[in-house]
Amino acid sequence: MAERGLNIIVCVKHVPETAEAEIKIDSTGKAIEKAGLVFDINECDDYALEEAVRVKEKFGGSVIAVTVGPEDADSTLRKCLARGADKAIRLTDATFGGSDGYAIAKILHNAIKGLPFDLVLTGALAGDDGCTMVGPILAELLRIPHATMVKKIELGEGVAKVNRELEGGLEEAVEVELPAVLTVQTGINEPRYVSILGIRKAMKKEIKVLGLADIGLSENDVGEAGSWIKIESMFVPPVEKQAEFIKGTPEEIAAKIVEIIKSRGLI
Amino acid sequence: MAEIFVLAEHRQGRIRDITFEMLTKGKKLTEQINADLTVVLLGKEAKEHARTLSEYAKKVLLIEDTKLENFNSEAYQRVLSNLINEHKPLLLMIGHTSFGVDLAPSLAASLKLPLATDCIDLEFDDETFLVTRQMYGGKVNVRARVRKAESYVVTIRQAAFEAQKPAMNGEIIEKPSSLAEEITKKRFIGYVLPPPGGVDITAADMLIGIGRGIKDENNIPTVEELAKSLGGVLACSRPIVDKGWLPSDRQVGSSGKTVKPKLYIAFGISGAFQHVLGMKNSDLIIAINKDPNAPIFSFSDYGVVEDMFKILSPLQSKICELKGQKT
Ligand SMILES: Cc1cc2nc3c(=O)[nH]c(=O)nc-3n(C[C@H](O)[C@H](O)[C@H](O)COP(=O)(O)OP(=O)(O)OC[C@H]3O[C@@H](n4cnc5c(N)ncnc54)[C@H](O)[C@@H]3O)c2cc1C
Ligand SMILES: Nc1ncnc2c1ncn2[C@@H]1O[C@H](COP(=O)(O)O)[C@@H](O)[C@H]1O
């Protein structure tokens, strides 16, 4: 392994930032309005890519970033290339719309099954639909083992020793045979900043674009037809308890907060 | 009669809460569609657990094997595949936990059964089966129809259902383990405990929580100062720990600590359910967030829609004023 290095595939998703944005449900009632939202690499995929690049730097080898998404997703792939990925593949087809995690996993599987790899990294979950399933399904389709929610990776001869995150701060150490799919959790490393030079160099690297026919799938395998679940309606979550809003100038708000705390006998 | 399976989750000798939450929802579903509720329990020496669980279901299917001592998705997948092929349950419920997300997707894919993850509600109608789940960090809910199949697999969000004790008297059925060969591709090594922390946020009466809204590490001391003046302790959401700005013993939430202080103030925390899980039972919750639609406001007693940096300094001086008066 150490001699020939490791070939790593990283699956990355281009997702909208929604924590701070105003979300509106569109006229279909089944999706949100995407216009005006800022898209970027999915949070845990950022950590997955960084982990892949670190492994490459240590052992040698290559990193390929793969995404299923529209042309706009190129900006996420460019970011990966600038960070140290060697190649990028974008899977785009009109038939891919409406794909759930299962359909996405099938698309990724067909796109990468012919490539040489020792390790496939994905994020633990996508920040938009949060299926938490693409990685382990991909592993099942590739007939290789997997470990999810990974917080630490140590590579040995033909195996990866990883720490999986459990609840309440606990972790478990498990060993998986390579090749394997590992789904990476946030906080595993500190993703690096991209240098100007890196970005400039990345602009010259090619992004390979493949469609449905190129990867040997049919229309029934992808989109809604190839998915396990289909969204029927989208709505604003019902509010069980609504906070009482404190209004006024910052001084008035501060005074009111202190008054509430004091009335509870906490100050 | 149709059967609903609930997979029991246990770790280090304890049955985890999610199991009872799923059994409660499972019982309701079986009443609605006239089905039987069965809990599936895999483990090494799990008879004690089986007795506990027998009060929650019609049947307990118990499979004991030393290879099932610790959770291993490879071993679980093999045993469950056999069970599902044999019993063809209408529904298999698994917790949307670290354990469940390692198991359910590959199990469903290998059996070619549809899976819906992180569900907060379930419902059968004449046609098929519908689930409710959240998207975009809890900002929207979706109702989704699951593709028609003989069996459905779901993972259930923690704390989505409240556990109740139905006092049933289920039959415990022991089944032989179908694990013949060794588990080879995935091996459990051991549990790794979190590093001992310097601060115990679970012991604090007042917690000041900061989230990604803090923007920069250099803004933390201001909030820490406020916490000190108030006599409280600084806590945070996960991204603050991920960035290395605060140690992990300060993290509130499902993968951090569960806290129940007399006061929890959330500055710049959106209120993702993994965070809320750790703090929603605090006596008094005040959230400051510039987004009026932040989910945190549905879990707070008081809310302030404002830039947190405009509130910090007047709050600090008001507290000092008051404390100064007292002494
Ligand atoms: C398996 C798993 C386990 C997890 N465990 C945990 C856990 O234990 N604890 C946890 O916290 N998270 C956990 N998470 C992560 C969780 O899903 C969220 O990503 C996280 O809680 C978001 O943190 P945040 O609210 O600080 O950041 P964001 O969601 O990015 O929200 C930032 C908020 O700050 C507000 N804001 C920004 N600027 C300002 C300002 N100037 N003034 C006021 N408000 C401002 C924004 O409006 C926004 O609402 C877990 C995730 C997974 C997948
Ligand atoms: N459209 C996509 N393209 C590439 N990778 C994806 C895509 N969707 C999901 N993934 C990968 O699968 C992980 C888990 O996604 P999910 O199962 O949808 O929560 C993500 O973090 C990505 O690494």
Side-chain angles (χ1 to χ4, degrees):
Chain A
M1 173 188 82
E3 282 154 42
R4 65 177 177 87
L6 280 147
N7 296 314
I8 308 168
I9 291 171
V10 187
C11 304
V12 293
K13 190 173 188 183
H14 190 58
V15 298
E17 194 293 314
T18 49
E20 300 196 15
E22 192 186 341
I23 303 294
K24 286 203 197 94
I25 295 168
D26 73 9
S27 56
T28 66
K30 297 180 187 189
I32 61 164
E33 268 174 29
K34 303 273 164 58
L37 295 177
V38 180
F39 282 69
D40 200 349
I41 185 169
N42 179 48
E43 193 182 5
C44 18
D45 305 359
D46 204 19
Y47 288 92
L49 180 87
E50 176 65 30
E51 199 61 23
V53 172
R54 288 186 188 198
V55 170
K56 183 183 87 166
E57 285 167 352
K58 190 162 171 199
F59 298 101
S62 72
V63 174
I64 304 178
V66 188
T67 195
V68 181
E71 201 181 329
D72 289 351
D74 278 359
S75 64
T76 280
L77 291 176
R78 291 264 170 239
K79 195 169 189 175
C80 296
L81 291 168
R83 289 271 203 68
D86 303 285
K87 287 184 198 161
I89 302 171
R90 169 162 56 81
L91 298 148
T92 308
D93 201 285
T95 58
F96 293 168
S99 294
D100 70 354
Y102 176 53
I104 295 288
K106 285 187 277 183
I107 298 167
L108 289 168
H109 167 247
N110 271 49
I112 69 172
K113 67 181 181 193
L115 302 173
F117 59 83
D118 303 280
L119 207 53
V120 179
L121 299 184
T122 74
L125 90 168
D128 51 357
D129 50 19
C131 290
T132 333
M133 60 162 79
V134 169
I137 296 174
L138 183 57
E140 186 64 38
L141 298 173
L142 290 165
R143 299 187 180 284
I144 60 176
H146 70 266
T148 56
M149 314 260 277
V150 169
K151 285 288 293 258
K152 186 177 165 199
I153 303 175
E154 264 173 43
L155 294 164
E157 203 57 54
V159 292
K161 190 180 155 199
V162 306
N163 281 14
R164 294 189 62 241
E165 175 179 302
L166 306 176
E167 288 78 19
L170 191 68
E171 293 181 0
E172 65 174 4
V174 296
E175 212 170 66
V176 282
E177 224 175 63
L178 294 181
V181 175
L182 305 178
T183 87
V184 171
Q185 179 56 302
T186 57
I188 188 174
N189 54 39
E190 217 175 297
R192 71 194 64 187
Y193 287 102
V194 191
S195 70
I196 304 284
L197 186 71
I199 293 172
R200 225 181 287 146
K201 274 211 296 216
M203 291 311 283
K204 292 193 207 111
K205 294 186 188 169
E206 188 205 329
I207 294 176
K208 191 167 168 185
V209 181
L210 299 172
L212 183 72
D214 303 312
I215 56 172
L217 282 174
S218 84
E219 273 184 39
N220 290 328
D221 298 317
V222 301
E224 273 185 5
S227 291
W228 280 333
I229 67 170
K230 183 174 129 193
I231 294 175
E232 289 209 331
S233 61
M234 183 176 277
F235 52 97
V236 177
V239 179
E240 283 156 44
K241 168 175 127 187
Q242 179 66 277
E244 181 183 329
F245 285 104
I246 306 170
K247 298 197 176 92
T249 64
E251 279 71 26
E252 288 162 358
I253 291 169
K256 185 80 209 293
I257 293 176
V258 171
E259 198 186 304
I260 294 165
I261 301 174
K262 192 165 162 260
S263 74
R264 300 276 178 130
L266 295 170
I267 310 185
Chain B
M1 194 184 282
E3 206 173 2
I4 291 182
F5 272 16
V6 169
L7 178 64
E9 178 167 338
H10 56 94
R11 178 180 298 144
Q12 296 176 300
R14 275 201 57 220
I15 302 175
R16 307 197 66 235
D17 292 348
I18 181 70
T19 309
F20 302 108
E21 293 160 14
M22 290 192 289
L23 283 165
T24 303
K25 179 63 186 174
K27 174 128 192 300
K28 284 216 181 86
L29 280 174
T30 54
E31 284 160 6
Q32 282 158 13
I33 61 165
N34 190 26
D36 279 343
L37 184 63
T38 299
V39 49
V40 177
L41 172 63
L42 315 185
K44 189 186 168 196
E45 279 154 15
K47 294 206 175 53
E48 191 65 39
H49 286 341
R51 275 190 290 276
T52 307
L53 292 168
S54 66
E55 293 174 30
Y56 290 81
K58 181 117 190 273
K59 267 190 268 176
V60 182
L61 288 183
L62 169 65
I63 299 181
E64 292 183 312
D65 190 318
T66 47
K67 297 187 202 90
L68 295 168
E69 177 172 12
N70 294 295
F71 171 69
N72 178 328
S73 61
E74 190 187 343
Y76 264 67
Q77 185 170 327
R78 279 202 231 159
V79 174
L80 282 169
S81 296
N82 285 326
L83 266 186
I84 289 165
N85 284 330
E86 186 187 333
H87 289 253
K88 310 247 181 265
L90 176 62
L91 176 67
L92 168 63
M93 296 166 78
I94 299 175
H96 193 79
T97 54
S98 183
F99 167 106
V101 303
D102 209 50
L103 168 70
S106 47
L107 174 72
S110 76
L111 294 171
K112 298 211 167 2
L113 295 177
L115 165 73
T117 49
D118 200 11
C119 300
I120 57 172
D121 207 359
L122 312 172
E123 168 195 348
F124 285 95
D125 71 0
D126 296 339
E127 265 177 81
T128 57
F129 174 56
L130 290 139
V131 300
T132 305
R133 55 191 310 279
Q134 297 202 306
M135 285 176 68
Y136 303 107
K139 281 200 164 173
V140 298
N141 282 12
V142 294
R143 260 181 107 221
R145 187 171 290 283
V146 186
R147 190 168 82 192
K148 195 161 182 59
E150 194 173 11
S151 304
Y152 302 102
V153 187
V154 289
T155 62
I156 303 290
R157 176 175 288 193
Q158 296 169 74
F161 303 104
E162 205 182 319
Q164 284 152 14
K165 192 157 178 186
M168 310 221 321
N169 187 12
E171 181 192 359
I172 299 172
I173 301 167
E174 285 187 51
K175 301 200 77 166
S177 165
S178 52
L179 281 178
E181 334 93 77
E182 283 300 314
I183 302 302
T184 51
K185 293 193 161 170
K186 196 170 185 180
R187 202 165 65 79
F188 173 86
I189 300 172
Y191 291 107
V192 184
L193 293 166
V199 184
D200 182 8
I201 56 169
T202 63
D205 273 345
M206 284 184 270
L207 286 175
I208 314 299
I210 53 169
R212 209 175 340 229
I214 193 84
K215 288 286 177 322
D216 194 295
E217 191 174 7
N218 296 325
N219 294 328
I220 295 179
T222 320
V223 189
E224 194 157 30
E225 187 70 16
L226 179 76
K228 239 185 240 150
S229 313
L230 199 59
V233 173
L234 190 67
C236 66
S237 67
R238 178 172 182 142
I240 306 300
V241 173
D242 286 343
K243 285 180 206 288
W245 293 354
L246 284 176
S248 61
D249 56 9
R250 303 274 181 161
Q251 186 186 318
V252 172
S254 61
S255 56
K257 300 261 168 56
T258 302
V259 298
K260 201 178 170 301
K262 294 196 173 105
L263 170 68
Y264 188 89
I265 308 186
F267 281 104
I269 294 177
S270 62
F273 104 96
Q274 292 97 342
H275 186 80
V276 169
L277 215 54
M279 48 64 81
K280 65 174 182 195
N281 292 324
S282 307
D283 293 345
L284 174 65
I285 301 171
I286 304 175
I288 294 96
N289 196 306
K290 65 178 184 183
D291 175 7
N293 298 316
I296 190 80
F297 291 129
S298 323
F299 301 93
S300 307
D301 299 285
Y302 294 94
V304 174
V305 182
E306 186 55 274
D307 182 344
M308 58 181 275
F309 296 106
K310 289 196 185 145
I311 305 292
L312 282 171
S313 122
L315 193 55
Q316 174 76 35
S317 39
K318 287 273 176 336
I319 291 166
C320 288
E321 230 172 76
L322 194 74
K323 292 234 163 169
Q325 276 170 11
K326 269 190 175 171
T327 48

